[in-house]
Amino acid sequence: MSLQEVSSNGGRKLEVIVAGDEGSARLDRVLAQRTPELSRSRLKALILAGSVTVKDAVVRDPAYHVAKGDTITIDVPEAAPAEPQGEDIALDIVFEDDDIIVIDKPRGLVVHPAAGHATGTLVNALIAHCGSSLSGIGGVKRPGIVHRLDKDTTGLMVVAKNDQAHQSLTAQFADHGRTGPMERGYMAFAWGVPNRPRGTIDAPIDRHPHAREKMAVRQSGREAITHFEVQQSFAGRDGKPVASLLACQLETGRTHQIRVHLAHLGHPLMGDSVYGAHFKTKAGQLSAEGKDALTALDRQALHAYLLALEHPRTGELLRWEQPLPEDLLLLQRALEAAV
């Protein structure tokens, strides 16, 4: 048989032997043919989550080509509850009333349940804190969520506590301050210093053509506009500029927008292992203190410091600013000390 189930603690483990007659050598297509009980989207999620091995090696690329005779193992975890459960996770609440809640999201907190993150998310924390008052428009797995921050990006997020607030906030985020008061500002530590004190990056963003977990500047993408202004520049051990602190504002809200745009500009975020990995050698230009601070950071150096919006019920203009978290403050001080 080309498919068999073997014992596994908590969940199932499926083994597939590639017969070579599946019609395609792509991993996802072979599995779709050999494991009809798993949907294509489920299989893709399992592959991306690292739950699929080929010849005992983890493969995260759905387009990976397998060969006749290869053994593919799929770890299928136990089914998670259809709806997220409330969890006692501390929230740093900046503002809250009957309509919205604004939090300062810490590093490492995923916004909503997804493949590989069924629990321990901001949604789980919000359900425990707000109970049934969250907006249902986002669906059972994203109640009240109108925008996201990456797992390791810190800073301000707003969540809708009822459907009226959700509709208002969704419209404001779609407008992105073109005709209304919405503002979203970020502090970004980037490698190098742009050749002008302020500027605009207007470059469309789409899925990366080969690495599907990444985004990229592509002409086929959706409009994406980021404004930036240099706040500080930092010198390296040789006295030449090595990094800068940029204030960025979004005019659109694409996935990974600032990270992709700054990398496209030639100034990727410090600590960004996805879009700035080729800049790792730049760390050699930092002082010993700067290197230590960057190593300790262990994430992209990005913080959502500014959020302004119109209150969905009263129409009042609300504005919040949140200072840099401790890990970015330590990086800033270390970079300043090298000057």
PDB file of all heavy atoms in Angstrom, residues 218-256:
ATOM      1  N   ARG A 218       6.554  43.300  -6.521  1.00  0.00           N
ATOM      2  CA  ARG A 218       6.291  42.724  -7.841  1.00  0.00           C
ATOM      3  C   ARG A 218       5.260  43.595  -8.557  1.00  0.00           C
ATOM      4  O   ARG A 218       4.311  44.083  -7.945  1.00  0.00           O
ATOM      5  CB  ARG A 218       5.756  41.292  -7.717  1.00  0.00           C
ATOM      6  CG  ARG A 218       6.668  40.339  -6.961  1.00  0.00           C
ATOM      7  CD  ARG A 218       6.113  38.938  -6.967  1.00  0.00           C
ATOM      8  NE  ARG A 218       6.160  38.338  -8.306  1.00  0.00           N
ATOM      9  CZ  ARG A 218       5.527  37.226  -8.647  1.00  0.00           C
ATOM     10  NH1 ARG A 218       4.762  36.605  -7.757  1.00  0.00           N
ATOM     11  NH2 ARG A 218       5.621  36.737  -9.856  1.00  0.00           N
ATOM     12  N   GLN A 219       5.427  43.739  -9.840  1.00  0.00           N
ATOM     13  CA  GLN A 219       4.495  44.560 -10.615  1.00  0.00           C
ATOM     14  C   GLN A 219       3.083  43.991 -10.604  1.00  0.00           C
ATOM     15  O   GLN A 219       2.107  44.714 -10.791  1.00  0.00           O
ATOM     16  CB  GLN A 219       4.996  44.700 -12.061  1.00  0.00           C
ATOM     17  CG  GLN A 219       6.230  45.580 -12.190  1.00  0.00           C
ATOM     18  CD  GLN A 219       6.027  46.948 -11.549  1.00  0.00           C
ATOM     19  OE1 GLN A 219       5.048  47.653 -11.829  1.00  0.00           O
ATOM     20  NE2 GLN A 219       6.945  47.324 -10.659  1.00  0.00           N
ATOM     21  N   SER A 220       2.958  42.693 -10.356  1.00  0.00           N
ATOM     22  CA  SER A 220       1.647  42.054 -10.309  1.00  0.00           C
ATOM     23  C   SER A 220       0.931  42.295  -8.988  1.00  0.00           C
ATOM     24  O   SER A 220      -0.221  41.904  -8.815  1.00  0.00           O
ATOM     25  CB  SER A 220       1.803  40.538 -10.505  1.00  0.00           C
ATOM     26  OG  SER A 220       2.615  39.980  -9.468  1.00  0.00           O
ATOM     27  N   GLY A 221       1.616  42.931  -8.021  1.00  0.00           N
ATOM     28  CA  GLY A 221       1.081  43.084  -6.681  1.00  0.00           C
ATOM     29  C   GLY A 221       0.083  44.216  -6.524  1.00  0.00           C
ATOM     30  O   GLY A 221      -0.244  44.936  -7.472  1.00  0.00           O
ATOM     31  N   ARG A 222      -0.375  44.375  -5.277  1.00  0.00           N
ATOM     32  CA  ARG A 222      -1.313  45.445  -4.942  1.00  0.00           C
ATOM     33  C   ARG A 222      -0.535  46.695  -4.543  1.00  0.00           C
ATOM     34  O   ARG A 222       0.590  46.625  -4.047  1.00  0.00           O
ATOM     35  CB  ARG A 222      -2.215  44.995  -3.798  1.00  0.00           C
ATOM     36  CG  ARG A 222      -3.047  43.771  -4.122  1.00  0.00           C
ATOM     37  CD  ARG A 222      -3.772  43.251  -2.901  1.00  0.00           C
ATOM     38  NE  ARG A 222      -4.784  44.205  -2.425  1.00  0.00           N
ATOM     39  CZ  ARG A 222      -5.403  44.087  -1.267  1.00  0.00           C
ATOM     40  NH1 ARG A 222      -5.092  43.085  -0.436  1.00  0.00           N
ATOM     41  NH2 ARG A 222      -6.314  44.962  -0.895  1.00  0.00           N
ATOM     42  N   GLU A 223      -1.159  47.826  -4.739  1.00  0.00           N
ATOM     43  CA  GLU A 223      -0.524  49.103  -4.407  1.00  0.00           C
ATOM     44  C   GLU A 223      -0.044  49.095  -2.955  1.00  0.00           C
ATOM     45  O   GLU A 223      -0.755  48.667  -2.049  1.00  0.00           O
ATOM     46  CB  GLU A 223      -1.514  50.251  -4.601  1.00  0.00           C
ATOM     47  CG  GLU A 223      -0.927  51.615  -4.266  1.00  0.00           C
ATOM     48  CD  GLU A 223      -1.955  52.736  -4.325  1.00  0.00           C
ATOM     49  OE1 GLU A 223      -3.106  52.500  -3.885  1.00  0.00           O
ATOM     50  OE2 GLU A 223      -1.620  53.829  -4.799  1.00  0.00           O
ATOM     51  N   ALA A 224       1.173  49.588  -2.739  1.00  0.00           N
ATOM     52  CA  ALA A 224       1.733  49.656  -1.391  1.00  0.00           C
ATOM     53  C   ALA A 224       2.585  50.925  -1.285  1.00  0.00           C
ATOM     54  O   ALA A 224       3.485  51.128  -2.098  1.00  0.00           O
ATOM     55  CB  ALA A 224       2.566  48.423  -1.085  1.00  0.00           C
ATOM     56  N   ILE A 225       2.285  51.757  -0.293  1.00  0.00           N
ATOM     57  CA  ILE A 225       2.975  53.043  -0.137  1.00  0.00           C
ATOM     58  C   ILE A 225       3.409  53.211   1.313  1.00  0.00           C
ATOM     59  O   ILE A 225       2.590  53.109   2.237  1.00  0.00           O
ATOM     60  CB  ILE A 225       2.066  54.218  -0.549  1.00  0.00           C
ATOM     61  CG1 ILE A 225       1.643  54.079  -2.019  1.00  0.00           C
ATOM     62  CG2 ILE A 225       2.778  55.555  -0.323  1.00  0.00           C
ATOM     63  CD1 ILE A 225       0.594  55.091  -2.450  1.00  0.00           C
ATOM     64  N   THR A 226       4.697  53.470   1.507  1.00  0.00           N
ATOM     65  CA  THR A 226       5.272  53.701   2.830  1.00  0.00           C
ATOM     66  C   THR A 226       6.034  55.012   2.814  1.00  0.00           C
ATOM     67  O   THR A 226       6.867  55.242   1.926  1.00  0.00           O
ATOM     68  CB  THR A 226       6.234  52.565   3.229  1.00  0.00           C
ATOM     69  OG1 THR A 226       5.562  51.315   3.168  1.00  0.00           O
ATOM     70  CG2 THR A 226       6.785  52.789   4.633  1.00  0.00           C
ATOM     71  N   HIS A 227       5.772  55.877   3.788  1.00  0.00           N
ATOM     72  CA  HIS A 227       6.534  57.119   3.953  1.00  0.00           C
ATOM     73  C   HIS A 227       7.542  56.922   5.072  1.00  0.00           C
ATOM     74  O   HIS A 227       7.238  56.265   6.081  1.00  0.00           O
ATOM     75  CB  HIS A 227       5.603  58.282   4.292  1.00  0.00           C
ATOM     76  CG  HIS A 227       4.470  58.465   3.315  1.00  0.00           C
ATOM     77  ND1 HIS A 227       4.653  58.985   2.055  1.00  0.00           N
ATOM     78  CD2 HIS A 227       3.146  58.153   3.414  1.00  0.00           C
ATOM     79  CE1 HIS A 227       3.484  59.012   1.425  1.00  0.00           C
ATOM     80  NE2 HIS A 227       2.556  58.502   2.223  1.00  0.00           N
ATOM     81  N   PHE A 228       8.738  57.474   4.927  1.00  0.00           N
ATOM     82  CA  PHE A 228       9.744  57.333   5.978  1.00  0.00           C
ATOM     83  C   PHE A 228      10.472  58.657   6.211  1.00  0.00           C
ATOM     84  O   PHE A 228      10.545  59.510   5.328  1.00  0.00           O
ATOM     85  CB  PHE A 228      10.764  56.239   5.622  1.00  0.00           C
ATOM     86  CG  PHE A 228      11.676  56.594   4.478  1.00  0.00           C
ATOM     87  CD1 PHE A 228      12.869  57.292   4.694  1.00  0.00           C
ATOM     88  CD2 PHE A 228      11.357  56.234   3.181  1.00  0.00           C
ATOM     89  CE1 PHE A 228      13.712  57.611   3.643  1.00  0.00           C
ATOM     90  CE2 PHE A 228      12.193  56.559   2.111  1.00  0.00           C
ATOM     91  CZ  PHE A 228      13.371  57.259   2.346  1.00  0.00           C
ATOM     92  N   GLU A 229      10.995  58.806   7.410  1.00  0.00           N
ATOM     93  CA  GLU A 229      11.798  59.967   7.773  1.00  0.00           C
ATOM     94  C   GLU A 229      12.901  59.521   8.730  1.00  0.00           C
ATOM     95  O   GLU A 229      12.640  58.815   9.715  1.00  0.00           O
ATOM     96  CB  GLU A 229      10.939  61.035   8.450  1.00  0.00           C
ATOM     97  CG  GLU A 229      11.712  62.307   8.766  1.00  0.00           C
ATOM     98  CD  GLU A 229      10.814  63.424   9.276  1.00  0.00           C
ATOM     99  OE1 GLU A 229       9.582  63.299   9.150  1.00  0.00           O
ATOM    100  OE2 GLU A 229      11.354  64.426   9.804  1.00  0.00           O
ATOM    101  N   VAL A 230      14.132  59.901   8.435  1.00  0.00           N
ATOM    102  CA  VAL A 230      15.272  59.514   9.265  1.00  0.00           C
ATOM    103  C   VAL A 230      15.223  60.280  10.581  1.00  0.00           C
ATOM    104  O   VAL A 230      15.158  61.510  10.595  1.00  0.00           O
ATOM    105  CB  VAL A 230      16.607  59.771   8.541  1.00  0.00           C
ATOM    106  CG1 VAL A 230      17.789  59.398   9.444  1.00  0.00           C
ATOM    107  CG2 VAL A 230      16.671  58.985   7.225  1.00  0.00           C
ATOM    108  N   GLN A 231      15.246  59.542  11.687  1.00  0.00           N
ATOM    109  CA  GLN A 231      15.261  60.151  13.012  1.00  0.00           C
ATOM    110  C   GLN A 231      16.661  60.222  13.604  1.00  0.00           C
ATOM    111  O   GLN A 231      17.017  61.184  14.275  1.00  0.00           O
ATOM    112  CB  GLN A 231      14.375  59.324  13.968  1.00  0.00           C
ATOM    113  CG  GLN A 231      12.943  59.142  13.495  1.00  0.00           C
ATOM    114  CD  GLN A 231      12.188  60.446  13.412  1.00  0.00           C
ATOM    115  OE1 GLN A 231      11.990  61.123  14.423  1.00  0.00           O
ATOM    116  NE2 GLN A 231      11.751  60.798  12.208  1.00  0.00           N
ATOM    117  N   GLN A 232      17.452  59.195  13.384  1.00  0.00           N
ATOM    118  CA  GLN A 232      18.813  59.118  13.893  1.00  0.00           C
ATOM    119  C   GLN A 232      19.661  58.306  12.928  1.00  0.00           C
ATOM    120  O   GLN A 232      19.149  57.441  12.222  1.00  0.00           O
ATOM    121  CB  GLN A 232      18.861  58.397  15.255  1.00  0.00           C
ATOM    122  CG  GLN A 232      18.520  59.214  16.472  1.00  0.00           C
ATOM    123  CD  GLN A 232      18.685  58.385  17.736  1.00  0.00           C
ATOM    124  OE1 GLN A 232      17.825  57.567  18.068  1.00  0.00           O
ATOM    125  NE2 GLN A 232      19.781  58.578  18.444  1.00  0.00           N
ATOM    126  N   SER A 233      20.952  58.580  12.918  1.00  0.00           N
ATOM    127  CA  SER A 233      21.886  57.706  12.215  1.00  0.00           C
ATOM    128  C   SER A 233      22.959  57.277  13.207  1.00  0.00           C
ATOM    129  O   SER A 233      23.291  58.013  14.141  1.00  0.00           O
ATOM    130  CB  SER A 233      22.510  58.401  11.002  1.00  0.00           C
ATOM    131  OG  SER A 233      23.254  59.532  11.402  1.00  0.00           O
ATOM    132  N   PHE A 234      23.470  56.079  13.005  1.00  0.00           N
ATOM    133  CA  PHE A 234      24.434  55.509  13.942  1.00  0.00           C
ATOM    134  C   PHE A 234      25.692  55.091  13.195  1.00  0.00           C
ATOM    135  O   PHE A 234      25.611  54.482  12.123  1.00  0.00           O
ATOM    136  CB  PHE A 234      23.831  54.281  14.641  1.00  0.00           C
ATOM    137  CG  PHE A 234      22.486  54.537  15.265  1.00  0.00           C
ATOM    138  CD1 PHE A 234      21.320  54.102  14.650  1.00  0.00           C
ATOM    139  CD2 PHE A 234      22.369  55.227  16.470  1.00  0.00           C
ATOM    140  CE1 PHE A 234      20.078  54.326  15.219  1.00  0.00           C
ATOM    141  CE2 PHE A 234      21.133  55.468  17.046  1.00  0.00           C
ATOM    142  CZ  PHE A 234      19.982  55.018  16.417  1.00  0.00           C
ATOM    143  N   ALA A 235      26.841  55.422  13.778  1.00  0.00           N
ATOM    144  CA  ALA A 235      28.126  55.081  13.173  1.00  0.00           C
ATOM    145  C   ALA A 235      28.615  53.736  13.683  1.00  0.00           C
ATOM    146  O   ALA A 235      28.295  53.313  14.801  1.00  0.00           O
ATOM    147  CB  ALA A 235      29.157  56.163  13.479  1.00  0.00           C
ATOM    148  N   GLY A 236      29.396  53.066  12.835  1.00  0.00           N
ATOM    149  CA  GLY A 236      29.997  51.800  13.217  1.00  0.00           C
ATOM    150  C   GLY A 236      31.362  52.002  13.830  1.00  0.00           C
ATOM    151  O   GLY A 236      31.779  53.136  14.142  1.00  0.00           O
ATOM    152  N   ARG A 237      32.102  50.932  13.970  1.00  0.00           N
ATOM    153  CA  ARG A 237      33.421  51.010  14.591  1.00  0.00           C
ATOM    154  C   ARG A 237      34.387  51.866  13.792  1.00  0.00           C
ATOM    155  O   ARG A 237      35.316  52.454  14.352  1.00  0.00           O
ATOM    156  CB  ARG A 237      34.000  49.597  14.738  1.00  0.00           C
ATOM    157  CG  ARG A 237      33.258  48.728  15.753  1.00  0.00           C
ATOM    158  CD  ARG A 237      33.962  47.413  15.950  1.00  0.00           C
ATOM    159  NE  ARG A 237      34.121  46.689  14.689  1.00  0.00           N
ATOM    160  CZ  ARG A 237      34.972  45.682  14.495  1.00  0.00           C
ATOM    161  NH1 ARG A 237      35.765  45.292  15.478  1.00  0.00           N
ATOM    162  NH2 ARG A 237      35.030  45.072  13.337  1.00  0.00           N
ATOM    163  N   ASP A 238      34.169  51.949  12.470  1.00  0.00           N
ATOM    164  CA  ASP A 238      35.064  52.753  11.625  1.00  0.00           C
ATOM    165  C   ASP A 238      34.616  54.204  11.513  1.00  0.00           C
ATOM    166  O   ASP A 238      35.208  54.982  10.768  1.00  0.00           O
ATOM    167  CB  ASP A 238      35.163  52.136  10.229  1.00  0.00           C
ATOM    168  CG  ASP A 238      33.797  52.004   9.539  1.00  0.00           C
ATOM    169  OD1 ASP A 238      32.789  52.452  10.124  1.00  0.00           O
ATOM    170  OD2 ASP A 238      33.739  51.446   8.425  1.00  0.00           O
ATOM    171  N   GLY A 239      33.557  54.575  12.246  1.00  0.00           N
ATOM    172  CA  GLY A 239      33.076  55.950  12.214  1.00  0.00           C
ATOM    173  C   GLY A 239      32.136  56.249  11.064  1.00  0.00           C
ATOM    174  O   GLY A 239      31.569  57.346  10.991  1.00  0.00           O
ATOM    175  N   LYS A 240      31.917  55.284  10.177  1.00  0.00           N
ATOM    176  CA  LYS A 240      31.011  55.484   9.045  1.00  0.00           C
ATOM    177  C   LYS A 240      29.599  55.032   9.416  1.00  0.00           C
ATOM    178  O   LYS A 240      29.425  54.137  10.241  1.00  0.00           O
ATOM    179  CB  LYS A 240      31.511  54.699   7.832  1.00  0.00           C
ATOM    180  CG  LYS A 240      32.866  55.165   7.318  1.00  0.00           C
ATOM    181  CD  LYS A 240      33.302  54.324   6.132  1.00  0.00           C
ATOM    182  CE  LYS A 240      34.671  54.783   5.620  1.00  0.00           C
ATOM    183  NZ  LYS A 240      35.139  53.941   4.474  1.00  0.00           N
ATOM    184  N   PRO A 241      28.578  55.639   8.799  1.00  0.00           N
ATOM    185  CA  PRO A 241      27.187  55.266   9.118  1.00  0.00           C
ATOM    186  C   PRO A 241      26.941  53.785   8.863  1.00  0.00           C
ATOM    187  O   PRO A 241      27.302  53.261   7.807  1.00  0.00           O
ATOM    188  CB  PRO A 241      26.362  56.136   8.178  1.00  0.00           C
ATOM    189  CG  PRO A 241      27.246  57.290   7.836  1.00  0.00           C
ATOM    190  CD  PRO A 241      28.634  56.732   7.810  1.00  0.00           C
ATOM    191  N   VAL A 242      26.326  53.109   9.842  1.00  0.00           N
ATOM    192  CA  VAL A 242      26.053  51.687   9.706  1.00  0.00           C
ATOM    193  C   VAL A 242      24.567  51.365   9.858  1.00  0.00           C
ATOM    194  O   VAL A 242      24.083  50.358   9.352  1.00  0.00           O
ATOM    195  CB  VAL A 242      26.876  50.869  10.728  1.00  0.00           C
ATOM    196  CG1 VAL A 242      26.408  51.150  12.160  1.00  0.00           C
ATOM    197  CG2 VAL A 242      26.809  49.383  10.439  1.00  0.00           C
ATOM    198  N   ALA A 243      23.824  52.238  10.543  1.00  0.00           N
ATOM    199  CA  ALA A 243      22.411  51.966  10.778  1.00  0.00           C
ATOM    200  C   ALA A 243      21.667  53.269  11.016  1.00  0.00           C
ATOM    201  O   ALA A 243      22.277  54.325  11.232  1.00  0.00           O
ATOM    202  CB  ALA A 243      22.229  51.021  11.967  1.00  0.00           C
ATOM    203  N   SER A 244      20.338  53.181  10.992  1.00  0.00           N
ATOM    204  CA  SER A 244      19.525  54.385  11.203  1.00  0.00           C
ATOM    205  C   SER A 244      18.206  54.001  11.858  1.00  0.00           C
ATOM    206  O   SER A 244      17.753  52.860  11.779  1.00  0.00           O
ATOM    207  CB  SER A 244      19.258  55.105   9.875  1.00  0.00           C
ATOM    208  OG  SER A 244      18.687  54.234   8.911  1.00  0.00           O
ATOM    209  N   LEU A 245      17.616  54.986  12.523  1.00  0.00           N
ATOM    210  CA  LEU A 245      16.273  54.842  13.091  1.00  0.00           C
ATOM    211  C   LEU A 245      15.325  55.636  12.208  1.00  0.00           C
ATOM    212  O   LEU A 245      15.503  56.851  12.031  1.00  0.00           O
ATOM    213  CB  LEU A 245      16.231  55.359  14.528  1.00  0.00           C
ATOM    214  CG  LEU A 245      14.848  55.398  15.194  1.00  0.00           C
ATOM    215  CD1 LEU A 245      14.228  54.004  15.257  1.00  0.00           C
ATOM    216  CD2 LEU A 245      14.951  56.009  16.591  1.00  0.00           C
ATOM    217  N   LEU A 246      14.328  54.962  11.646  1.00  0.00           N
ATOM    218  CA  LEU A 246      13.383  55.589  10.719  1.00  0.00           C
ATOM    219  C   LEU A 246      11.990  55.606  11.326  1.00  0.00           C
ATOM    220  O   LEU A 246      11.557  54.633  11.948  1.00  0.00           O
ATOM    221  CB  LEU A 246      13.334  54.813   9.397  1.00  0.00           C
ATOM    222  CG  LEU A 246      14.656  54.489   8.704  1.00  0.00           C
ATOM    223  CD1 LEU A 246      14.399  53.678   7.439  1.00  0.00           C
ATOM    224  CD2 LEU A 246      15.419  55.759   8.373  1.00  0.00           C
ATOM    225  N   ALA A 247      11.291  56.715  11.152  1.00  0.00           N
ATOM    226  CA  ALA A 247       9.869  56.785  11.474  1.00  0.00           C
ATOM    227  C   ALA A 247       9.121  56.511  10.176  1.00  0.00           C
ATOM    228  O   ALA A 247       9.316  57.223   9.179  1.00  0.00           O
ATOM    229  CB  ALA A 247       9.505  58.148  12.032  1.00  0.00           C
ATOM    230  N   CYS A 248       8.303  55.467  10.166  1.00  0.00           N
ATOM    231  CA  CYS A 248       7.574  55.077   8.956  1.00  0.00           C
ATOM    232  C   CYS A 248       6.074  55.227   9.176  1.00  0.00           C
ATOM    233  O   CYS A 248       5.564  54.923  10.250  1.00  0.00           O
ATOM    234  CB  CYS A 248       7.871  53.621   8.592  1.00  0.00           C
ATOM    235  SG  CYS A 248       9.605  53.264   8.257  1.00  0.00           S
ATOM    236  N   GLN A 249       5.400  55.687   8.146  1.00  0.00           N
ATOM    237  CA  GLN A 249       3.938  55.754   8.183  1.00  0.00           C
ATOM    238  C   GLN A 249       3.368  55.026   6.975  1.00  0.00           C
ATOM    239  O   GLN A 249       3.887  55.139   5.856  1.00  0.00           O
ATOM    240  CB  GLN A 249       3.450  57.204   8.216  1.00  0.00           C
ATOM    241  CG  GLN A 249       3.589  57.850   9.586  1.00  0.00           C
ATOM    242  CD  GLN A 249       2.641  59.021   9.771  1.00  0.00           C
ATOM    243  OE1 GLN A 249       2.590  59.923   8.957  1.00  0.00           O
ATOM    244  NE2 GLN A 249       1.892  59.009  10.857  1.00  0.00           N
ATOM    245  N   LEU A 250       2.296  54.286   7.222  1.00  0.00           N
ATOM    246  CA  LEU A 250       1.676  53.493   6.174  1.00  0.00           C
ATOM    247  C   LEU A 250       0.541  54.250   5.496  1.00  0.00           C
ATOM    248  O   LEU A 250      -0.298  54.840   6.165  1.00  0.00           O
ATOM    249  CB  LEU A 250       1.117  52.194   6.751  1.00  0.00           C
ATOM    250  CG  LEU A 250       2.126  51.225   7.378  1.00  0.00           C
ATOM    251  CD1 LEU A 250       1.399  49.991   7.884  1.00  0.00           C
ATOM    252  CD2 LEU A 250       3.193  50.826   6.382  1.00  0.00           C
ATOM    253  N   GLU A 251       0.536  54.197   4.170  1.00  0.00           N
ATOM    254  CA  GLU A 251      -0.603  54.713   3.415  1.00  0.00           C
ATOM    255  C   GLU A 251      -1.442  53.559   2.870  1.00  0.00           C
ATOM    256  O   GLU A 251      -2.552  53.756   2.397  1.00  0.00           O
ATOM    257  CB  GLU A 251      -0.117  55.611   2.271  1.00  0.00           C
ATOM    258  CG  GLU A 251      -1.218  56.429   1.620  1.00  0.00           C
ATOM    259  CD  GLU A 251      -0.708  57.419   0.599  1.00  0.00           C
ATOM    260  OE1 GLU A 251       0.287  58.117   0.888  1.00  0.00           O
ATOM    261  OE2 GLU A 251      -1.298  57.485  -0.496  1.00  0.00           O
ATOM    262  N   THR A 252      -0.877  52.351   2.959  1.00  0.00           N
ATOM    263  CA  THR A 252      -1.597  51.120   2.641  1.00  0.00           C
ATOM    264  C   THR A 252      -1.215  50.108   3.716  1.00  0.00           C
ATOM    265  O   THR A 252      -0.321  50.357   4.517  1.00  0.00           O
ATOM    266  CB  THR A 252      -1.198  50.574   1.254  1.00  0.00           C
ATOM    267  OG1 THR A 252       0.229  50.427   1.211  1.00  0.00           O
ATOM    268  CG2 THR A 252      -1.645  51.503   0.137  1.00  0.00           C
ATOM    269  N   GLY A 253      -1.871  48.963   3.733  1.00  0.00           N
ATOM    270  CA  GLY A 253      -1.600  47.989   4.778  1.00  0.00           C
ATOM    271  C   GLY A 253      -1.383  46.596   4.239  1.00  0.00           C
ATOM    272  O   GLY A 253      -2.203  45.709   4.455  1.00  0.00           O
ATOM    273  N   ARG A 254      -0.277  46.372   3.551  1.00  0.00           N
ATOM    274  CA  ARG A 254       0.014  45.054   2.993  1.00  0.00           C
ATOM    275  C   ARG A 254       0.802  44.204   3.993  1.00  0.00           C
ATOM    276  O   ARG A 254       1.508  44.739   4.851  1.00  0.00           O
ATOM    277  CB  ARG A 254       0.817  45.175   1.690  1.00  0.00           C
ATOM    278  CG  ARG A 254       0.211  46.097   0.665  1.00  0.00           C
ATOM    279  CD  ARG A 254      -1.166  45.645   0.221  1.00  0.00           C
ATOM    280  NE  ARG A 254      -1.800  46.656  -0.627  1.00  0.00           N
ATOM    281  CZ  ARG A 254      -3.059  47.029  -0.522  1.00  0.00           C
ATOM    282  NH1 ARG A 254      -3.843  46.471   0.390  1.00  0.00           N
ATOM    283  NH2 ARG A 254      -3.557  47.959  -1.308  1.00  0.00           N
ATOM    284  N   THR A 255       0.705  42.900   3.846  1.00  0.00           N
ATOM    285  CA  THR A 255       1.450  41.986   4.703  1.00  0.00           C
ATOM    286  C   THR A 255       2.947  42.271   4.610  1.00  0.00           C
ATOM    287  O   THR A 255       3.493  42.361   3.507  1.00  0.00           O
ATOM    288  CB  THR A 255       1.175  40.521   4.295  1.00  0.00           C
ATOM    289  OG1 THR A 255      -0.219  40.261   4.426  1.00  0.00           O
ATOM    290  CG2 THR A 255       1.959  39.553   5.162  1.00  0.00           C
ATOM    291  N   HIS A 256       3.605  42.427   5.764  1.00  0.00           N
ATOM    292  CA  HIS A 256       5.052  42.674   5.850  1.00  0.00           C
ATOM    293  C   HIS A 256       5.488  43.941   5.109  1.00  0.00           C
ATOM    294  O   HIS A 256       6.643  44.057   4.700  1.00  0.00           O
ATOM    295  CB  HIS A 256       5.849  41.487   5.274  1.00  0.00           C
ATOM    296  CG  HIS A 256       5.636  40.195   5.995  1.00  0.00           C
ATOM    297  ND1 HIS A 256       6.171  38.994   5.561  1.00  0.00           N
ATOM    298  CD2 HIS A 256       4.944  39.895   7.130  1.00  0.00           C
ATOM    299  CE1 HIS A 256       5.818  38.023   6.392  1.00  0.00           C
ATOM    300  NE2 HIS A 256       5.073  38.551   7.348  1.00  0.00           N
TER     301      HIS A 256
END
